[in-house]
Amino acid sequence: YHNDLFCLTGTRLAPKEKLDIPVLYMPDTMKICEAVVVIHVMRENGENWPYEDSAELNKDFKSVILGENGGLQEILWIYPVRGIPEAVQQKLVPAVIRCQARQRVERRVEVPLTGVIPGATSTPARGNSAKVNASSPANIQDKIQDTDGLSTAVEFMYELQYQSNEIKSQLESLVDMHLVERKHDTESGIVTLIFNTVFAPNKPMRNEATLVVQCTTGGVWKFPVLFIAMEPELDDVINIEAVGLNKESLVDFKLTSQTR
């Protein structure tokens, strides 16, 4: 966060009035930053708010400041803020996974992570967001942890995100992606993650997903992946032989369901 302290002093607020407080975040490394925004409120006349049980308040209670003569001198609102940097990657070419419908293909996908901090302390990301905007990814499929040239263990989490719930319902059961290997270039600092991807489509389709990778020390990377399922092979050829003009010809053939 910005090194300069931003302080509002003597700001008078009317009842139900809103106060906007700007918070500037300019990350220079792929590392999570944490800060706390604290709002102090006191009465304009300088008097304390009367509070009968102020003497019994816990000393560790950080949301109020007690006055010397009893009552509440200040009330505090405390807002924790977490900054998670996201790598900006212009016009990435999607990794294409192509397969014929009703077939199965297995491919390896490599993604480079720039700006990973060597020797950073691995601290699990807190929070309950699934939006990758403020915490670890939702529906974490897998994670890998090893030293691999780093002075301390660095852990990565990942998931596939889809453009809509409809696309997710189509692809979720057809795609499997697992992290199998990690390479670390000590000179450039680039960490390359290698994913084993299985695609087994049941019908022709063309859908795009986003591979989201997050490091527990901070940083989010996003990579597009395009899944293409082509027309399946013909099951058989049905020949109908005419028995004469203006006469119907019939042929029987069996269909077997692949599911129950």
Side-chain angles (χ1 to χ4, degrees), residues 66-128:
L66 301 179
E68 296 180 357
N69 300 325
L72 306 181
Q73 182 180 358
E74 294 184 35
I75 300 176
L76 285 68
W77 279 266
I78 303 173
Y79 298 93
V81 181
R82 302 181 73 243
I84 302 179
E86 181 175 326
V88 178
Q89 306 183 67
Q90 302 293 338
K91 297 181 180 178
L92 283 178
V93 178
V96 179
I97 310 296
R98 195 187 307 268
C99 181
Q100 196 172 25
R102 298 190 302 193
Q103 299 294 324
R104 179 182 183 275
V105 68
E106 189 169 342
R107 294 286 185 271
R108 285 201 162 197
V109 177
E110 296 188 5
V111 295
L113 309 182
T114 57
V116 180
I117 304 173
T121 303
S122 178
T123 55
R126 296 181 302 233
N128 57 359

Side-chain angles (χ1 to χ4, degrees), residues 14 23 56 58 114 134 154 180 198 251:
V23 177
E56 298 181 4
N58 192 328
T114 57
V154 176
V180 294
V198 176
V251 63

Side-chain angles (χ1 to χ4, degrees), residues 185-252:
D185 190 333
T186 56
E187 294 183 1
S188 64
I190 297 178
V191 174
T192 302
L193 301 183
I194 301 176
F195 293 88
N196 189 60
T197 306
V198 176
F199 184 35
N202 52 10
K203 61 181 180 180
M205 66 176 66
R206 182 187 180 94
N207 288 317
E208 189 170 336
T210 301
L211 173 62
V212 181
V213 179
Q214 180 171 343
C215 179
T216 50
T217 60
V220 175
W221 297 262
K222 296 182 179 181
F223 303 92
V225 183
L226 180 60
F227 295 95
I228 300 176
M230 301 167 292
E231 291 288 340
E233 294 181 358
L234 295 178
D235 294 290
D236 202 352
V237 177
I238 301 172
N239 293 316
I240 304 178
E241 185 176 345
V243 296
L245 293 176
N246 298 320
K247 295 183 179 180
E248 293 182 351
S249 297
L250 302 177
V251 63
D252 293 332

Side-chain angles (χ1 to χ4, degrees), residues 8-166:
L8 289 175
T9 58
T11 301
R12 185 178 184 274
L13 292 180
K16 297 185 178 181
E17 185 179 355
K18 294 182 179 180
L19 174 65
D20 293 327
I21 301 177
V23 177
L24 179 62
Y25 178 49
M26 297 186 302
D28 55 0
T29 58
M30 297 295 283
K31 185 177 182 181
I32 292 177
C33 295
E34 295 184 347
V36 177
V37 178
V38 182
I39 314 299
H40 296 253
V41 177
M42 62 185 66
R43 299 180 71 171
E44 188 177 15
N45 58 13
E47 296 180 0
N48 296 339
W49 283 283
Y51 189 76
E52 295 180 358
D53 299 327
S54 60
E56 298 181 4
L57 284 176
N58 192 328
K59 294 181 180 179
D60 296 331
F61 196 58
K62 302 183 184 303
S63 61
V64 295
I65 296 178
L66 301 179
E68 296 180 357
N69 300 325
L72 306 181
Q73 182 180 358
E74 294 184 35
I75 300 176
L76 285 68
W77 279 266
I78 303 173
Y79 298 93
V81 181
R82 302 181 73 243
I84 302 179
E86 181 175 326
V88 178
Q89 306 183 67
Q90 302 293 338
K91 297 181 180 178
L92 283 178
V93 178
V96 179
I97 310 296
R98 195 187 307 268
C99 181
Q100 196 172 25
R102 298 190 302 193
Q103 299 294 324
R104 179 182 183 275
V105 68
E106 189 169 342
R107 294 286 185 271
R108 285 201 162 197
V109 177
E110 296 188 5
V111 295
L113 309 182
T114 57
V116 180
I117 304 173
T121 303
S122 178
T123 55
R126 296 181 302 233
N128 57 359
S129 169
K131 310 132 196 160
V132 180
N133 40 350
S135 73
S136 61
N139 303 326
I140 297 172
Q141 295 181 356
D142 202 358
K143 56 187 176 181
I144 187 170
Q145 176 177 334
D146 55 44
T147 54
D148 192 23
L150 301 181
S151 60
T152 58
V154 176
E155 188 175 276
F156 296 95
M157 297 174 290
Y158 64 92
E159 67 165 341
L160 275 176
Q161 291 185 349
Y162 304 95
Q163 296 176 343
S164 66
N165 291 331
E166 182 181 358

